[in-house]
Amino acid sequence: MKDHELQDLVKKISASLFGKPFRHQAYFNPKLRSTGGRYLLGTHNIEINKKYLEQLGEVELIGIIKHELCHYHLHLEGKGYQHRDNDFKLLLIKVGAPRHCSRLPEAPKKRTFKKVLIYECTQCHLQYNRKRSINTSKYVCGKCRGKLVKTKEMILE
């Protein structure tokens, strides 16, 4: 699908579902990575991630277009066009647009790592477990005011 075909599809969906014309540009943006599409407030254009069409098909593409058209029409009408706005949520339901696009199959699954830093007081040997590193020249032991030293750094899956 080329940009002009996307433009025609967006105009068709806008007219049939919203009953309003789409008067701006819709095009594929190859730089989009983490989202299916976006509505640009300044230019009123809609950008679409072509990978969603290639990997998930036209049904997913139409869902993304509906979602972005909800932003588009509500913004131009001066209504709540953001995800948190009630106007936006109601229009999504009315036109059958998804709230979020699906995950791309090629996208790597997020792996969560938990970093644990263990600091120990040199005087009383009290241990402190921290997620973030601390400045040992600035902070001291809360029990005896002794010097803290980092003893271990562990990464848990």
Side-chain angles (χ1 to χ4, degrees):
M1 182 180 280
K2 304 229 187 285
D3 282 348
H4 66 87
E5 293 172 311
L6 176 66
Q7 178 77 22
D8 294 340
L9 180 61
V10 172
K11 284 183 177 181
K12 182 179 140 197
I13 292 171
S14 181
S16 64
L17 285 176
F18 296 86
K20 299 170 190 168
F22 177 72
R23 293 193 172 104
H24 293 85
Q25 293 296 309
Y27 50 89
F28 291 110
N29 182 349
K31 293 181 182 176
L32 291 180
R33 290 178 164 262
S34 61
T35 184
R38 69 178 170 192
Y39 165 63
L40 302 170
L41 294 173
T43 61
H44 306 294
N45 293 339
I46 292 177
E47 296 179 339
I48 302 291
N49 186 341
K50 196 169 191 171
K51 287 183 181 179
Y52 279 82
L53 172 63
E54 294 165 352
Q55 295 180 24
L56 297 173
E58 199 167 328
V59 173
E60 184 72 22
L61 175 72
I62 290 170
I64 293 167
I65 292 169
K66 288 181 196 176
H67 178 99
E68 300 309 325
L69 282 172
C70 288
H71 288 297
Y72 172 81
H73 288 298
L74 289 170
H75 180 246
L76 292 179
E77 292 170 12
K79 294 181 180 176
Y81 62 89
Q82 294 179 333
H83 286 119
R84 67 173 177 251
D85 296 324
N86 207 34
D87 291 332
F88 181 75
K89 291 176 186 175
L90 291 173
L91 188 57
L92 283 179
I93 293 166
K94 183 181 172 188
V95 298
R99 185 127 159 83
H100 304 286
C101 59
S102 302
R103 188 179 182 89
L104 283 173
E106 74 172 23
K109 298 219 182 331
K110 284 187 179 179
R111 293 185 66 186
T112 55
F113 295 100
K114 190 175 180 184
K115 184 175 168 183
V116 178
L117 302 167
I118 300 172
Y119 293 89
E120 187 175 317
C121 175
T122 55
Q123 290 178 6
C124 69
H125 302 288
L126 182 65
Q127 288 190 337
Y128 295 90
N129 296 334
R130 294 289 177 264
K131 291 180 182 177
R132 295 184 183 172
S133 60
I134 60 171
N135 184 352
T136 54
S137 62
K138 185 177 177 183
Y139 294 98
V140 294
C141 176
K143 183 178 176 185
C144 70
R145 316 287 270 159
K147 183 170 173 46
L148 296 176
V149 178
K150 183 169 32 169
T151 56
K152 270 190 193 172
E153 186 171 327
M154 298 185 301
I155 297 176
L156 308 172
E157 276 191 58

